Amino acid sequence: MKRLLAAAALAALVAVPAASAKRAAPPTLKSGELVVAFGDPAVGFASGTVRGSTVTNPRGYEVDLASAIAKGLGLTPVWMYSPWNGLFLPGTKKFDISFQEATITAQRKRTVDFTSSYLNANQGVLISKQTTPPKSIADLKKLQTCAQTNTTGLDWINSNLHPTKRPLTYPTTTAAFQAVQLNQCQALILDVPIVALQAKADPGKYGPVAGQIDTHEQYGAVLQKGSKLLPLVNAQIKKLTANGTVGKLQKKWFNLNFASIPVLK
């Protein structure tokens, strides 16, 4: 009997450290915080007030998703601004993770790490009010196209469309949308969710989203190359997808049937 009691006591002592052991803190830039970067304001995705490198009162799908990820990791999200054109440059990042509607590509993965996908997207065609909607890729070739620099939309124009006029390029989505408003650009080639939500927010400034091109792209959040945070974030995205949170957030912020936009061939 004494032997049994002694064994039980020993087992209890061994169990105490295991039960009281704390989970290792996520490897973030600042203890207890998840520094989340956004780029240019994007309707439905992430819109807030940008002052220098800070973003205040951000709202949108990516904001809610980042908040849910941070909560799952036991971290407090901190928002910052990081320009698109520097997103894929090699070197040390000033953020833990960045959500900028960035398509996962093999070339970009050479310099940064991507999370698993949190949204699928095709390329869309947003036209100016003065432009006759193209009915085919052949029609689109004849228009003055434009795109944001360093985007898969610009890659598609140069590699697949080969328009009769050289595409105009802009460093920000804001500048590209303004060019469409002024009819300097007749057809902006940019991700369907981005152009569709922008057109919905300001319907009087643009023509319709005249079509989409099947490119079957996937958005991933960007992290420092070799980031030890990546598997932890991917686990949260998997969990949030499985429990329906991702689907609910997309419905909340988009409320558009992107599939209803005709495919140009």
Side-chain angles (χ1 to χ4, degrees):
M1 186 63 151
K2 289 182 179 179
R3 287 182 179 179
L4 291 174
L5 289 174
L10 180 60
L13 289 172
V14 172
V16 168
S20 60
K22 293 183 179 179
R23 183 177 62 179
T28 55
L29 292 174
K30 296 181 180 179
S31 179
E33 296 182 352
L34 182 69
V35 180
V36 182
F38 302 115
D40 299 323
V43 175
F45 284 95
S47 296
T49 301
V50 178
R51 291 191 179 91
S53 62
T54 63
V55 179
T56 56
N57 301 319
R59 301 174 69 254
Y61 168 57
E62 291 175 325
V63 179
D64 284 358
L65 181 58
S67 296
I69 291 170
K71 182 178 180 181
L73 295 175
L75 301 169
T76 300
V78 176
W79 318 117
M80 69 167 289
Y81 172 77
S82 181
W84 170 263
N85 282 341
L87 187 60
F88 306 114
L89 294 178
T92 303
K93 304 299 182 186
K94 296 181 180 180
F95 53 78
D96 292 307
I97 188 168
S98 181
F99 289 84
Q100 296 200 40
E101 310 90 60
T103 296
I104 302 168
T105 70
Q107 181 178 0
R108 292 171 177 175
K109 288 173 74 171
R110 295 175 184 174
T111 54
V112 299
D113 280 344
F114 280 97
T115 65
S116 51
S117 175
Y118 63 89
L119 187 72
N120 298 331
N122 285 325
Q123 288 299 309
V125 181
L126 176 66
I127 62 173
S128 67
K129 294 179 69 174
Q130 296 88 344
T131 300
T132 301
K135 300 296 184 182
S136 65
I137 296 294
D139 290 342
L140 184 59
K141 281 178 180 284
K142 302 172 185 177
L143 300 180
Q144 176 60 70
T145 60
C146 68
Q148 186 179 4
T149 53
N150 299 322
T151 61
T152 50
L154 181 58
D155 290 342
W156 182 83
I157 292 174
N158 291 327
S159 301
N160 299 86
L161 184 62
H162 305 297
T164 55
K165 300 176 183 178
R166 184 177 180 178
L168 304 174
T169 59
Y170 300 94
T172 66
T173 52
T174 301
F177 284 131
Q178 186 175 29
V180 178
Q181 292 177 42
L182 298 174
N183 198 39
Q184 295 171 350
C185 168
Q186 294 178 299
L188 169 62
I189 311 301
L190 192 64
D191 306 7
V192 165
I194 297 175
V195 295
L197 291 168
Q198 180 71 24
K200 180 184 178 182
D202 290 308
K205 295 181 179 180
Y206 314 96
V209 178
Q212 62 179 309
I213 300 103
D214 280 331
T215 52
H216 307 292
E217 300 174 40
Q218 294 183 317
Y219 288 170
V222 173
L223 293 88
Q224 174 88 40
K225 187 68 176 177
S227 173
K228 295 180 179 179
L229 189 62
L230 180 61
L232 301 180
V233 174
N234 279 342
Q236 290 299 314
I237 292 176
K238 182 178 180 180
K239 176 184 175 181
L240 294 168
T241 301
N243 67 19
T245 299
V246 167
K248 290 177 182 177
L249 291 179
Q250 290 178 1
K251 184 176 181 180
K252 171 186 175 182
W253 287 105
F254 302 155
N255 196 28
L256 278 177
N257 180 14
F258 301 130
S260 65
I261 298 171
V263 175
L264 296 181
K265 297 181 180 180

